[in-house]
Structures are given as C-alpha cells and as structure tokens.
Amino acid sequence: MKKIQISPSILSADFSQLGNDIKRLENAGADMIHVDVMDGHFVPNLTIGPPVIKTLRKCSKLIFDVHLMISPVHKYIKDFADAGADIITIHPEATENLKESINHIKSLGKKVGVSLNPDTKVSIIEKELEKIDLVLVMSVHPGFGGQKFIPDVIKKIEILKKIKDEKSYRYDIEVDGGINFSNSKNVINAGANILVSGTTIFKENEGNIKKNIETLKEV
Ligand code: DX5
Ligand code: ZN
C-alpha cells in the first residue's frame, strides 16, 4: 500500500503571511503544499495566480501541488509551470482538448493531475488514466474551504483504485474537500493515498498543525 501523504491547502492559511504559513506546514511534516488557484469564472471565488506562486516558491522546497480551478486553463499552464508548480492539476471541463492539455503539462516536465468534481464521472477521463500522475477527487463542489464532505465520492475512489490495480496504472489518488478526522480513514481505506485538507489542518487542536497532519495520516 502506498505511503499516505498529506497536502495541506493554503486556502485556509493566513493570506497576510502565506510564506510563513508554508514554512510552518513544512516544519510540521507536510508532504506537499496544495495551492488552490481560482479565477472567479470556473468557480465563484478568486484566489492567487503565477506571480504569488513565484514568490512563494522561494519559501519552501516542498512539492507545489497546484490545483487550477480556472477556465480556459490551457493557455495559462506554462505560466504556472514557470512560476514553480510541480504538479499541475486541471479540470476536464476547463479545456477544449484534455489530451492536448495533459501532453502540454508533461512537455513542460511537470506532473499532471486531472480533477473530478463530485458530479463528474470517472468515464470521462478513463482514456487518459494511463498517462497521468494523479487523479484529484473533489469531495466538495470546488470554490471554498470549510465545506462538508460529500460521502458519495467514496464509490468513485473505489472505482479509481480498482482500475489502477487491474491495469497497473501509476496515478496517485488524491481527495480534496471536507477531509477531517472522522472521514479520513474511510477515504484512505477506499484507496486514496494523498489527502488535501485546509480547515482541519489549520483549525483543529488549537491549530496544532503537526498533530493534525499526523492524525489525518493514521489508518
Ligand atoms: C476547494 C479546494 C479545496 C479546499 C479544501 O475548492 O479545492 O482544496 O480548499 O479545504 P477544506 O479542507 O477546508 O475543505
Ligand atoms: Zn484544491
């Protein structure tokens, strides 16, 4: 079984001191940093873009797991690659040609992720699964932190794990949204190996990030 990794979402960090919060996450044992990019068009919220990521890149050596909730996404991929993203995850609904966007991310030497919203079926990306590094299963409707986990996505995680095992594909299964201490074990047992969390990591146990990361990893 793959090692469980935690990718804290900086959407729940203190935006007045993002660099320090990223350093706190690294010192507390985060495996990577989940950067939620929102454009106010694909999702009804606006966050940060390449210039901010470029400055944050200097703050940590950790993998930047960049989740692009933007549309159209294809023409911006290189900007995020140049800014220092290590994993670039896109939504299939945000590109006219998913295969082309996947190849573009790979051509830039970056790992490629594809994200499935709660209502998006695995079947729409099944043909691409062999080529990608990560499937990001959304367990909330994207746009905001602090939302409630949607339990129906457990089935989707199980389907992805079954395909991965049967076809010996290599993609990581990452789950994003509403992850907390009462659902993390179910998500891991269903087949996820990377958990994204913002609210739980920054807010639980009086903000003891190290304890929260360790607790989420427990199986
Ligand atoms: C939502 C983002 C998630 C979210 C997770 O659109 O993609 O990464 O910030 O935050 P919590 O853990 O608070 O649900
Ligand atoms: Zn995210």
Side-chain angles (χ1 to χ4, degrees), residues 8-12 15 33-38 46-49 53 65-69 136 138 144-145 176 196 198:
S9 163
I10 56 171
L11 187 62
S12 303
F15 270 49
I33 301 290
H34 188 81
V35 183
D36 283 312
V37 177
M38 302 178 185
L46 260 171
T47 57
I48 59 175
I53 292 172
D65 167 33
V66 177
H67 177 192
L68 296 182
M69 290 163 273
L136 176 59
M138 292 307 296
F144 298 92
D176 181 3
V196 173

Side-chain angles (χ1 to χ4, degrees), residues 180-198:
N180 58 36
F181 301 144
S182 57
N183 60 38
S184 55
K185 289 172 185 53
N186 298 343
V187 165
I188 292 167
N189 292 334
N193 65 296
I194 304 175
L195 305 185
V196 173
S197 167

